[in-house]
Amino acid sequence: DYLEFVPTERARIAVVGGSFCRIYVPNNGSILDIGCGEGATSDFLTIEQKEHYVGVDLSKEAIHLAKTKRGHPLKFVHSSADDFIPMHKFDAIIFADVLYYTDYKKILD
């Protein structure tokens, strides 16, 4: 919940979702959010972008909260960044605050 209630964190998320995605992603473009947490970035997307949004997070609790708080049409998937295999290409990938949690040895092998 701190991402929604700490002003500096909410502002950072607003830049990614409200500025970056609106400028660089087509209005009906698809967005993959690796390390989405509770899906706060999706709050700043257009309605059309929300229809093509997929959030992925390692935390079952975060995914449960994302589905509960934000729900349809957003899609949330419980998976690690290392194991997630997308079913199609995306117009944009958000990969913020995730590298620390990746299994770099697995990726480099």
Side-chain angles (χ1 to χ4, degrees), residues 1 9 11 16 20 24 26 31-32 35 39 53-54 61 66-67 76-77 79 82 85 88 92 98 101 103:
D1 276 346
E9 288 300 315
V16 173
F20 174 80
Y24 296 107
I31 299 169
L32 174 62
Y53 171 93
V54 177
E61 182 178 349
K67 288 178 178 179
F76 294 99
V77 178
S79 177
D82 302 331
I85 299 173
H88 58 83
V98 176
Y101 300 100
D103 184 356

PDB file of all heavy atoms in Angstrom, residues 1 9 11 16 20 24 26 31-32 35 39 53-54 61 66-67 76-77 79 82 85 88 92 98 101 103:
ATOM      1  N   ASP A   1       0.799  -1.202   0.000  1.00  0.00           N
ATOM      2  CA  ASP A   1       0.000   0.000   0.000  1.00  0.00           C
ATOM      3  C   ASP A   1       0.845   1.271   0.000  1.00  0.00           C
ATOM      4  O   ASP A   1       0.338   2.322  -0.351  1.00  0.00           O
ATOM      5  CB  ASP A   1      -0.914   0.023   1.209  1.00  0.00           C
ATOM      6  CG  ASP A   1      -2.200  -0.748   0.978  1.00  0.00           C
ATOM      7  OD1 ASP A   1      -2.506  -1.067  -0.170  1.00  0.00           O
ATOM      8  OD2 ASP A   1      -2.890  -1.013   1.970  1.00  0.00           O
ATOM      9  N   GLU A   9       6.503   8.132  -3.881  1.00  0.00           N
ATOM     10  CA  GLU A   9       6.337   6.883  -4.628  1.00  0.00           C
ATOM     11  C   GLU A   9       5.187   7.005  -5.619  1.00  0.00           C
ATOM     12  O   GLU A   9       5.275   6.551  -6.756  1.00  0.00           O
ATOM     13  CB  GLU A   9       6.106   5.701  -3.677  1.00  0.00           C
ATOM     14  CG  GLU A   9       7.330   5.291  -2.917  1.00  0.00           C
ATOM     15  CD  GLU A   9       8.472   4.853  -3.822  1.00  0.00           C
ATOM     16  OE1 GLU A   9       8.247   4.099  -4.781  1.00  0.00           O
ATOM     17  OE2 GLU A   9       9.611   5.284  -3.572  1.00  0.00           O
ATOM     18  N   ALA A  11       4.127   9.696  -6.998  1.00  0.00           N
ATOM     19  CA  ALA A  11       4.572  10.601  -8.059  1.00  0.00           C
ATOM     20  C   ALA A  11       5.454   9.859  -9.066  1.00  0.00           C
ATOM     21  O   ALA A  11       5.332  10.061 -10.278  1.00  0.00           O
ATOM     22  CB  ALA A  11       5.313  11.787  -7.463  1.00  0.00           C
ATOM     23  N   VAL A  16       5.753   7.139 -14.710  1.00  0.00           N
ATOM     24  CA  VAL A  16       5.822   5.958 -15.581  1.00  0.00           C
ATOM     25  C   VAL A  16       4.483   5.719 -16.277  1.00  0.00           C
ATOM     26  O   VAL A  16       4.413   5.600 -17.497  1.00  0.00           O
ATOM     27  CB  VAL A  16       6.237   4.701 -14.783  1.00  0.00           C
ATOM     28  CG1 VAL A  16       6.150   3.460 -15.654  1.00  0.00           C
ATOM     29  CG2 VAL A  16       7.649   4.865 -14.234  1.00  0.00           C
ATOM     30  N   PHE A  20       5.120   8.453 -19.301  1.00  0.00           N
ATOM     31  CA  PHE A  20       5.840   7.566 -20.221  1.00  0.00           C
ATOM     32  C   PHE A  20       4.882   6.765 -21.097  1.00  0.00           C
ATOM     33  O   PHE A  20       4.997   6.752 -22.316  1.00  0.00           O
ATOM     34  CB  PHE A  20       6.751   6.618 -19.431  1.00  0.00           C
ATOM     35  CG  PHE A  20       7.416   5.584 -20.285  1.00  0.00           C
ATOM     36  CD1 PHE A  20       8.541   5.896 -21.025  1.00  0.00           C
ATOM     37  CD2 PHE A  20       6.911   4.299 -20.359  1.00  0.00           C
ATOM     38  CE1 PHE A  20       9.146   4.932 -21.825  1.00  0.00           C
ATOM     39  CE2 PHE A  20       7.502   3.336 -21.154  1.00  0.00           C
ATOM     40  CZ  PHE A  20       8.631   3.660 -21.889  1.00  0.00           C
ATOM     41  N   TYR A  24       4.697   7.316 -25.101  1.00  0.00           N
ATOM     42  CA  TYR A  24       5.408   6.351 -25.932  1.00  0.00           C
ATOM     43  C   TYR A  24       4.627   5.102 -26.323  1.00  0.00           C
ATOM     44  O   TYR A  24       5.088   4.322 -27.138  1.00  0.00           O
ATOM     45  CB  TYR A  24       6.711   5.938 -25.236  1.00  0.00           C
ATOM     46  CG  TYR A  24       7.667   7.090 -25.085  1.00  0.00           C
ATOM     47  CD1 TYR A  24       7.889   7.671 -23.848  1.00  0.00           C
ATOM     48  CD2 TYR A  24       8.329   7.602 -26.191  1.00  0.00           C
ATOM     49  CE1 TYR A  24       8.757   8.738 -23.708  1.00  0.00           C
ATOM     50  CE2 TYR A  24       9.197   8.673 -26.064  1.00  0.00           C
ATOM     51  CZ  TYR A  24       9.407   9.233 -24.822  1.00  0.00           C
ATOM     52  OH  TYR A  24      10.260  10.288 -24.689  1.00  0.00           O
ATOM     53  N   PRO A  26       1.068   3.514 -27.883  1.00  0.00           N
ATOM     54  CA  PRO A  26      -0.179   3.877 -28.563  1.00  0.00           C
ATOM     55  C   PRO A  26      -1.367   3.779 -27.606  1.00  0.00           C
ATOM     56  O   PRO A  26      -1.338   3.017 -26.642  1.00  0.00           O
ATOM     57  CB  PRO A  26      -0.307   2.823 -29.670  1.00  0.00           C
ATOM     58  CG  PRO A  26       1.059   2.264 -29.855  1.00  0.00           C
ATOM     59  CD  PRO A  26       1.755   2.394 -28.532  1.00  0.00           C
ATOM     60  N   ILE A  31       0.832  -3.281 -22.719  1.00  0.00           N
ATOM     61  CA  ILE A  31       1.867  -2.976 -21.722  1.00  0.00           C
ATOM     62  C   ILE A  31       2.067  -4.187 -20.831  1.00  0.00           C
ATOM     63  O   ILE A  31       1.115  -4.727 -20.275  1.00  0.00           O
ATOM     64  CB  ILE A  31       1.455  -1.762 -20.870  1.00  0.00           C
ATOM     65  CG1 ILE A  31       1.293  -0.520 -21.759  1.00  0.00           C
ATOM     66  CG2 ILE A  31       2.470  -1.510 -19.754  1.00  0.00           C
ATOM     67  CD1 ILE A  31       0.642   0.649 -21.078  1.00  0.00           C
ATOM     68  N   LEU A  32       3.319  -4.590 -20.684  1.00  0.00           N
ATOM     69  CA  LEU A  32       3.711  -5.650 -19.755  1.00  0.00           C
ATOM     70  C   LEU A  32       4.428  -4.982 -18.597  1.00  0.00           C
ATOM     71  O   LEU A  32       5.420  -4.284 -18.802  1.00  0.00           O
ATOM     72  CB  LEU A  32       4.617  -6.665 -20.447  1.00  0.00           C
ATOM     73  CG  LEU A  32       5.220  -7.756 -19.567  1.00  0.00           C
ATOM     74  CD1 LEU A  32       4.123  -8.611 -18.943  1.00  0.00           C
ATOM     75  CD2 LEU A  32       6.180  -8.614 -20.383  1.00  0.00           C
ATOM     76  N   GLY A  35       7.029  -6.957 -12.249  1.00  0.00           N
ATOM     77  CA  GLY A  35       7.190  -6.428 -10.896  1.00  0.00           C
ATOM     78  C   GLY A  35       6.110  -5.405 -10.595  1.00  0.00           C
ATOM     79  O   GLY A  35       6.363  -4.369  -9.997  1.00  0.00           O
ATOM     80  N   GLY A  39      -0.251  -3.260  -8.757  1.00  0.00           N
ATOM     81  CA  GLY A  39      -0.755  -2.707 -10.017  1.00  0.00           C
ATOM     82  C   GLY A  39      -0.998  -1.218 -10.026  1.00  0.00           C
ATOM     83  O   GLY A  39      -1.750  -0.714 -10.855  1.00  0.00           O
ATOM     84  N   TYR A  53      -3.222  -4.511 -20.758  1.00  0.00           N
ATOM     85  CA  TYR A  53      -2.205  -4.476 -19.694  1.00  0.00           C
ATOM     86  C   TYR A  53      -2.088  -5.855 -19.051  1.00  0.00           C
ATOM     87  O   TYR A  53      -3.095  -6.510 -18.769  1.00  0.00           O
ATOM     88  CB  TYR A  53      -2.621  -3.447 -18.639  1.00  0.00           C
ATOM     89  CG  TYR A  53      -1.786  -3.447 -17.387  1.00  0.00           C
ATOM     90  CD1 TYR A  53      -0.697  -2.606 -17.248  1.00  0.00           C
ATOM     91  CD2 TYR A  53      -2.106  -4.278 -16.314  1.00  0.00           C
ATOM     92  CE1 TYR A  53       0.059  -2.593 -16.083  1.00  0.00           C
ATOM     93  CE2 TYR A  53      -1.360  -4.273 -15.147  1.00  0.00           C
ATOM     94  CZ  TYR A  53      -0.283  -3.427 -15.039  1.00  0.00           C
ATOM     95  OH  TYR A  53       0.462  -3.422 -13.879  1.00  0.00           O
ATOM     96  N   VAL A  54      -0.842  -6.284 -18.829  1.00  0.00           N
ATOM     97  CA  VAL A  54      -0.573  -7.502 -18.071  1.00  0.00           C
ATOM     98  C   VAL A  54       0.466  -7.155 -17.005  1.00  0.00           C
ATOM     99  O   VAL A  54       1.560  -6.682 -17.321  1.00  0.00           O
ATOM    100  CB  VAL A  54      -0.033  -8.651 -18.964  1.00  0.00           C
ATOM    101  CG1 VAL A  54       0.310  -9.871 -18.121  1.00  0.00           C
ATOM    102  CG2 VAL A  54      -1.043  -9.012 -20.044  1.00  0.00           C
ATOM    103  N   GLU A  61       0.462 -12.386  -2.674  1.00  0.00           N
ATOM    104  CA  GLU A  61      -0.366 -11.412  -1.973  1.00  0.00           C
ATOM    105  C   GLU A  61      -0.560 -10.150  -2.813  1.00  0.00           C
ATOM    106  O   GLU A  61      -1.667  -9.616  -2.904  1.00  0.00           O
ATOM    107  CB  GLU A  61       0.251 -11.046  -0.619  1.00  0.00           C
ATOM    108  CG  GLU A  61      -0.584 -10.078   0.164  1.00  0.00           C
ATOM    109  CD  GLU A  61       0.001  -9.755   1.531  1.00  0.00           C
ATOM    110  OE1 GLU A  61       0.949 -10.417   1.973  1.00  0.00           O
ATOM    111  OE2 GLU A  61      -0.524  -8.812   2.157  1.00  0.00           O
ATOM    112  N   ALA A  66      -3.914  -6.780  -6.224  1.00  0.00           N
ATOM    113  CA  ALA A  66      -4.085  -6.118  -7.522  1.00  0.00           C
ATOM    114  C   ALA A  66      -5.402  -6.522  -8.163  1.00  0.00           C
ATOM    115  O   ALA A  66      -6.156  -5.676  -8.655  1.00  0.00           O
ATOM    116  CB  ALA A  66      -2.913  -6.453  -8.445  1.00  0.00           C
ATOM    117  N   LYS A  67      -5.688  -7.821  -8.145  1.00  0.00           N
ATOM    118  CA  LYS A  67      -6.944  -8.308  -8.729  1.00  0.00           C
ATOM    119  C   LYS A  67      -8.149  -7.777  -7.960  1.00  0.00           C
ATOM    120  O   LYS A  67      -9.165  -7.418  -8.546  1.00  0.00           O
ATOM    121  CB  LYS A  67      -6.961  -9.836  -8.737  1.00  0.00           C
ATOM    122  CG  LYS A  67      -6.016 -10.443  -9.750  1.00  0.00           C
ATOM    123  CD  LYS A  67      -6.045 -11.966  -9.677  1.00  0.00           C
ATOM    124  CE  LYS A  67      -5.128 -12.584 -10.715  1.00  0.00           C
ATOM    125  NZ  LYS A  67      -5.139 -14.067 -10.632  1.00  0.00           N
ATOM    126  N   PHE A  76      -3.577  -9.788 -14.202  1.00  0.00           N
ATOM    127  CA  PHE A  76      -2.449  -9.921 -13.287  1.00  0.00           C
ATOM    128  C   PHE A  76      -2.052 -11.394 -13.188  1.00  0.00           C
ATOM    129  O   PHE A  76      -2.921 -12.268 -13.071  1.00  0.00           O
ATOM    130  CB  PHE A  76      -2.810  -9.378 -11.904  1.00  0.00           C
ATOM    131  CG  PHE A  76      -3.056  -7.897 -11.912  1.00  0.00           C
ATOM    132  CD1 PHE A  76      -4.350  -7.393 -11.952  1.00  0.00           C
ATOM    133  CD2 PHE A  76      -1.998  -7.007 -11.916  1.00  0.00           C
ATOM    134  CE1 PHE A  76      -4.584  -6.029 -11.971  1.00  0.00           C
ATOM    135  CE2 PHE A  76      -2.221  -5.635 -11.942  1.00  0.00           C
ATOM    136  CZ  PHE A  76      -3.517  -5.146 -11.970  1.00  0.00           C
ATOM    137  N   VAL A  77      -0.744 -11.649 -13.228  1.00  0.00           N
ATOM    138  CA  VAL A  77      -0.219 -13.010 -13.253  1.00  0.00           C
ATOM    139  C   VAL A  77       0.807 -13.176 -12.140  1.00  0.00           C
ATOM    140  O   VAL A  77       1.717 -12.344 -11.988  1.00  0.00           O
ATOM    141  CB  VAL A  77       0.456 -13.318 -14.610  1.00  0.00           C
ATOM    142  CG1 VAL A  77       1.041 -14.709 -14.632  1.00  0.00           C
ATOM    143  CG2 VAL A  77      -0.522 -13.106 -15.756  1.00  0.00           C
ATOM    144  N   SER A  79       3.981 -14.789 -11.075  1.00  0.00           N
ATOM    145  CA  SER A  79       5.141 -15.449 -11.672  1.00  0.00           C
ATOM    146  C   SER A  79       6.382 -14.634 -11.341  1.00  0.00           C
ATOM    147  O   SER A  79       6.303 -13.431 -11.099  1.00  0.00           O
ATOM    148  CB  SER A  79       4.992 -15.538 -13.198  1.00  0.00           C
ATOM    149  OG  SER A  79       6.135 -16.119 -13.775  1.00  0.00           O
ATOM    150  N   ASP A  82      11.856 -14.187 -14.053  1.00  0.00           N
ATOM    151  CA  ASP A  82      12.678 -15.189 -14.749  1.00  0.00           C
ATOM    152  C   ASP A  82      11.832 -16.239 -15.451  1.00  0.00           C
ATOM    153  O   ASP A  82      12.200 -16.731 -16.513  1.00  0.00           O
ATOM    154  CB  ASP A  82      13.592 -15.921 -13.752  1.00  0.00           C
ATOM    155  CG  ASP A  82      14.498 -14.976 -12.987  1.00  0.00           C
ATOM    156  OD1 ASP A  82      14.854 -13.919 -13.529  1.00  0.00           O
ATOM    157  OD2 ASP A  82      14.838 -15.305 -11.846  1.00  0.00           O
ATOM    158  N   ILE A  85       6.648 -16.282 -19.289  1.00  0.00           N
ATOM    159  CA  ILE A  85       6.792 -16.373 -20.741  1.00  0.00           C
ATOM    160  C   ILE A  85       5.563 -15.711 -21.364  1.00  0.00           C
ATOM    161  O   ILE A  85       4.455 -16.245 -21.275  1.00  0.00           O
ATOM    162  CB  ILE A  85       6.904 -17.837 -21.212  1.00  0.00           C
ATOM    163  CG1 ILE A  85       8.133 -18.477 -20.573  1.00  0.00           C
ATOM    164  CG2 ILE A  85       6.968 -17.909 -22.738  1.00  0.00           C
ATOM    165  CD1 ILE A  85       8.253 -19.958 -20.818  1.00  0.00           C
ATOM    166  N   HIS A  88       2.512 -13.124 -26.307  1.00  0.00           N
ATOM    167  CA  HIS A  88       2.593 -12.255 -27.482  1.00  0.00           C
ATOM    168  C   HIS A  88       3.565 -11.122 -27.195  1.00  0.00           C
ATOM    169  O   HIS A  88       4.037 -10.964 -26.061  1.00  0.00           O
ATOM    170  CB  HIS A  88       1.208 -11.698 -27.843  1.00  0.00           C
ATOM    171  CG  HIS A  88       0.556 -10.931 -26.725  1.00  0.00           C
ATOM    172  ND1 HIS A  88       0.829  -9.614 -26.460  1.00  0.00           N
ATOM    173  CD2 HIS A  88      -0.356 -11.308 -25.807  1.00  0.00           C
ATOM    174  CE1 HIS A  88       0.118  -9.215 -25.422  1.00  0.00           C
ATOM    175  NE2 HIS A  88      -0.609 -10.238 -25.004  1.00  0.00           N
ATOM    176  N   ALA A  92       5.159  -1.996 -24.929  1.00  0.00           N
ATOM    177  CA  ALA A  92       6.046  -1.447 -23.899  1.00  0.00           C
ATOM    178  C   ALA A  92       6.162  -2.437 -22.749  1.00  0.00           C
ATOM    179  O   ALA A  92       5.215  -3.159 -22.445  1.00  0.00           O
ATOM    180  CB  ALA A  92       5.516  -0.124 -23.381  1.00  0.00           C
ATOM    181  N   VAL A  98      13.076  -4.161 -10.154  1.00  0.00           N
ATOM    182  CA  VAL A  98      12.973  -5.610 -10.255  1.00  0.00           C
ATOM    183  C   VAL A  98      14.332  -6.304 -10.276  1.00  0.00           C
ATOM    184  O   VAL A  98      14.455  -7.428  -9.802  1.00  0.00           O
ATOM    185  CB  VAL A  98      12.181  -6.009 -11.532  1.00  0.00           C
ATOM    186  CG1 VAL A  98      12.139  -7.498 -11.715  1.00  0.00           C
ATOM    187  CG2 VAL A  98      10.789  -5.443 -11.478  1.00  0.00           C
ATOM    188  N   TYR A 101      15.681  -8.522  -7.509  1.00  0.00           N
ATOM    189  CA  TYR A 101      14.993  -9.776  -7.199  1.00  0.00           C
ATOM    190  C   TYR A 101      15.206 -10.875  -8.247  1.00  0.00           C
ATOM    191  O   TYR A 101      14.719 -11.978  -8.069  1.00  0.00           O
ATOM    192  CB  TYR A 101      13.490  -9.528  -7.042  1.00  0.00           C
ATOM    193  CG  TYR A 101      13.195  -8.558  -5.931  1.00  0.00           C
ATOM    194  CD1 TYR A 101      12.926  -7.224  -6.205  1.00  0.00           C
ATOM    195  CD2 TYR A 101      13.208  -8.963  -4.605  1.00  0.00           C
ATOM    196  CE1 TYR A 101      12.664  -6.326  -5.179  1.00  0.00           C
ATOM    197  CE2 TYR A 101      12.949  -8.074  -3.583  1.00  0.00           C
ATOM    198  CZ  TYR A 101      12.683  -6.755  -3.874  1.00  0.00           C
ATOM    199  OH  TYR A 101      12.432  -5.877  -2.855  1.00  0.00           O
ATOM    200  N   ASP A 103      17.124 -13.710 -10.547  1.00  0.00           N
ATOM    201  CA  ASP A 103      18.165 -14.725 -10.380  1.00  0.00           C
ATOM    202  C   ASP A 103      19.170 -14.548 -11.504  1.00  0.00           C
ATOM    203  O   ASP A 103      19.079 -15.214 -12.539  1.00  0.00           O
ATOM    204  CB  ASP A 103      17.527 -16.129 -10.402  1.00  0.00           C
ATOM    205  CG  ASP A 103      18.538 -17.224 -10.135  1.00  0.00           C
ATOM    206  OD1 ASP A 103      19.756 -16.935  -9.996  1.00  0.00           O
ATOM    207  OD2 ASP A 103      18.105 -18.401 -10.088  1.00  0.00           O
TER     208      ASP A 103
END
